[in-house]
């Protein structure tokens, strides 16, 4: 990868302009981190009201494959990264012709397609759940297969549990495949999970890696709900997850911030999926680590050394979805309940409209004791009617 070595010794210092593909909350936190360090940011996103675009120094309001807009971004910025997993890999390659782009088009292309992702992980020797690649209806295994009950997942553009259906047999799988308009899918065995964990890491162009502590995650309707850090399970599992995440990054020759999700099943780790960007389960790093995942993203793309990933406080992060907004849209959840707590950090993403399943913000509860942080976080989570 020539572009990675080409700028390996060049450090981009403030007040340089950095480019961000995608204007969601991950991009917004990136803008905040970059601003703190004295950089400027140009965001490219088709939404005129995107959370990151609104606070960036410049917002190019255009599609992710708009060549003229990409050229404008490349001209304006010293280096470019992405917060949006589904940015066309071709757009990244195009930008990389003139400017450093992290992560590489290659890594993003693998991570954004469930089939290439699963195949990559399997061939890299990483443990994954049993799966079958489904291109046509005849690829669906019959009922004799021990893959059922299973989950059918579309290969592209799935997130937050979207583009997934649970199926108990071949017939249900056929109906689901047709409902997905026969798009390429992965059929994955439905596992009985002990729990789920994730690891966020940053890997720089020289191959240095800083790994954040392992988070324990629970999901509600396929969407991350709560992250507890450090994870409560065995330390062996937490360490092993970190080692596997580093293996993923190294096998991909990855540069940037990477989130790796794991299932713990019968006491064994399986890699679920990876995200070529900061990860929702890494939001606790904003309030609980020396360097947060967004500052690491800035550091990797500017060629600065990685910051310390040390966690200084146990933390519990709770996602705030649009579901907790009162139906009458003038009203908001009772933030007073949360803001009264002196150890709670509220982060709102500046989205106009609350919709069911939409990530509107999160809070992180900090404490010297993880169990106390969890107790208080769950109390406020219940008071805000999350999960009702
Ligand atoms: P997304 O891209 O939407 O995050 P995931 O594949 O991570 O998709 O699935 C979302 C959640 O659904 C997982 O975190 C897990 O809780 C549950 N899930 C997904 N696949 C399986 C499986 N094979 N067995 C059991 N639970 C699963
Ligand atoms: Mg996931």
């Amino acid at each position: 990868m020539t572009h990675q070595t080409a700028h390996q010794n060049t450090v981009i210092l403030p007040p340089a302009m950095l480019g961000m593909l995608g204007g969601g909350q991950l991009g917004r936190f990136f803008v905040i981190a970059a601003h703190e360090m004295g950089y400027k940011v140009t965001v490219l996103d088709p939404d005129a009201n995107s959370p990151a675009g609104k606070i960036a120094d410049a917002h190019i309001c255009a599609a992710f494959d708009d060549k003229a807009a990409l050229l404008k971004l490349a001209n304006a910025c010293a280096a470019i990264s992405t917060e949006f997993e589904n940015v066309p890999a071709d757009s990244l390659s195009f930008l990389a012709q003139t400017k450093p782009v992290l992560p590489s088009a290659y890594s993003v292309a693998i991570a954004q397609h469930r089939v290439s992702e699963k195949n990559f992980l399997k061939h890299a020797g990483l443990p994954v759940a049993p799966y079958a690649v489904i291109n046509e209806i005849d690829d669906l295994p019959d009922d004799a297969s021990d893959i059922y009950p299973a989950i059918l997942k579309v290969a592209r553009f799935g997130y937050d549990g979207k583009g997934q259906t649970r199926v108990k047999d071949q017939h249900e799988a056929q109906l689901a495949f047709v409902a997905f308009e026969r798009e390429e899918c992965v059929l994955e065995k439905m596992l009985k999970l002990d729990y789920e964990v994730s690891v966020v890491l940053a890997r720089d162009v020289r191959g240095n890696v800083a790994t954040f502590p392992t988070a324990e995650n629970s999901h509600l309707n396929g969407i991350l709900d709560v992250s507890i850090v450090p994870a409560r399970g065995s330390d062996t599992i937490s360490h092993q997850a970190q080692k596997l995440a580093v293996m993923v990054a190294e096998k991909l020759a990855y540069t940037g911030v990477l989130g790796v999700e794991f299932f713990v099943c019968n006491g064994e780790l399986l890699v679920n999926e990876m995200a070529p960007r900061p990860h929702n389960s890494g939001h606790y790093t904003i309030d609980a680590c020396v360097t947060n995942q967004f500052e690491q993203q800035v550091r990797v793309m500017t060629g600065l050394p990685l910051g310390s990933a040390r966690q200084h406080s146990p933390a519990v992060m709770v996602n705030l979805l649009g579901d907790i907004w009162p139906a009458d849209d003038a009203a908001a959840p009772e933030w007073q309940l949360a803001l009264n707590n002196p150890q709670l950090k509220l982060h709102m993403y500046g989205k106009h409209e609350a919709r069911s399943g939409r990530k509107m913000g999160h809070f992180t509860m900090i404490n010297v004791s993880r169990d106390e942080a969890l107790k208080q976080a769950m109390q406020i989570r219940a008071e805000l009617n999350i999960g009702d």
Side-chain angles (χ1 to χ4, degrees), residues 8-27:
Q8 145 168 321
N9 297 316
T10 339
V11 176
I12 299 164
L13 289 170
M17 179 72 83
L18 306 178
M20 179 50 56
L21 291 162
Q25 61 268 19
L26 302 176

Side-chain angles (χ1 to χ4, degrees), residues 219 261 272-273 279:
H219 296 79
E261 299 177 12
N272 169 22
E273 59 171 353
H279 192 266

Side-chain angles (χ1 to χ4, degrees), residues 48-71:
N49 284 311
S50 74
K54 280 197 289 197
I55 65 163
D57 300 86
H59 174 202
I60 302 173
C61 191
F64 293 113
D65 59 357
D66 179 329
K67 282 269 158 72
L70 292 168
L71 263 179

Side-chain angles (χ1 to χ4, degrees), residues 141-189:
D142 64 28
D143 290 345
S145 164
D146 64 4
I147 201 164
Y148 298 111
I151 308 188
L152 189 71
K153 304 180 178 182
V154 284
R156 299 222 54 191
F157 303 122
Y159 71 100
D160 285 350
K162 293 186 181 63
Q164 301 197 3
T165 306
R166 299 183 176 206
V167 295
K168 68 172 191 312
D169 53 26
Q170 184 184 20
H171 179 64
E172 284 193 4
Q174 287 167 341
L175 295 178
F177 184 64
V178 171
F180 288 147
E181 298 179 335
R182 299 170 193 257
E183 290 269 343
E184 187 173 14
C185 285
V186 166
L187 182 72
E188 199 178 291
K189 187 175 175 63

Side-chain angles (χ1 to χ4, degrees), residues 43-217:
V43 165
L44 188 154
D45 190 285
D47 175 4
N49 284 311
S50 74
K54 280 197 289 197
I55 65 163
D57 300 86
H59 174 202
I60 302 173
C61 191
F64 293 113
D65 59 357
D66 179 329
K67 282 269 158 72
L70 292 168
L71 263 179
K72 199 169 154 192
L73 184 72
N75 286 334
C77 300
I80 295 144
S81 188
T82 175
E83 62 110 45
F84 177 54
E85 178 161 350
N86 290 315
V87 65
D90 284 349
S91 298
L92 296 175
S93 308
F94 177 73
L95 292 166
Q97 289 171 10
T98 47
K99 290 292 163 72
V101 175
L102 307 156
S104 68
Y106 166 78
S107 303
V108 173
I110 289 177
Q112 71 187 189
H113 195 283
R114 282 193 200 278
V115 173
S116 51
E117 179 180 52
K118 292 273 186 208
N119 290 343
F120 161 80
L121 291 167
K122 196 171 158 186
H123 292 136
L126 289 144
V128 294
Y131 70 96
V133 177
I134 313 298
N135 278 297
E136 48 189 279
I137 206 148
D138 290 343
D139 294 336
L140 289 164
D142 64 28
D143 290 345
S145 164
D146 64 4
I147 201 164
Y148 298 111
I151 308 188
L152 189 71
K153 304 180 178 182
V154 284
R156 299 222 54 191
F157 303 122
Y159 71 100
D160 285 350
K162 293 186 181 63
Q164 301 197 3
T165 306
R166 299 183 176 206
V167 295
K168 68 172 191 312
D169 53 26
Q170 184 184 20
H171 179 64
E172 284 193 4
Q174 287 167 341
L175 295 178
F177 184 64
V178 171
F180 288 147
E181 298 179 335
R182 299 170 193 257
E183 290 269 343
E184 187 173 14
C185 285
V186 166
L187 182 72
E188 199 178 291
K189 187 175 175 63
M190 183 77 200
L191 301 169
K192 186 151 174 11
L193 308 180
D194 304 344
Y195 58 102
E196 291 180 73
V197 296
S198 60
V199 173
V200 175
L201 61 77
R203 186 169 183 275
D204 72 14
V205 293
R206 291 163 289 267
N208 300 309
V209 179
T211 310
F212 288 109
T214 302
E216 171 187 344
N217 303 321

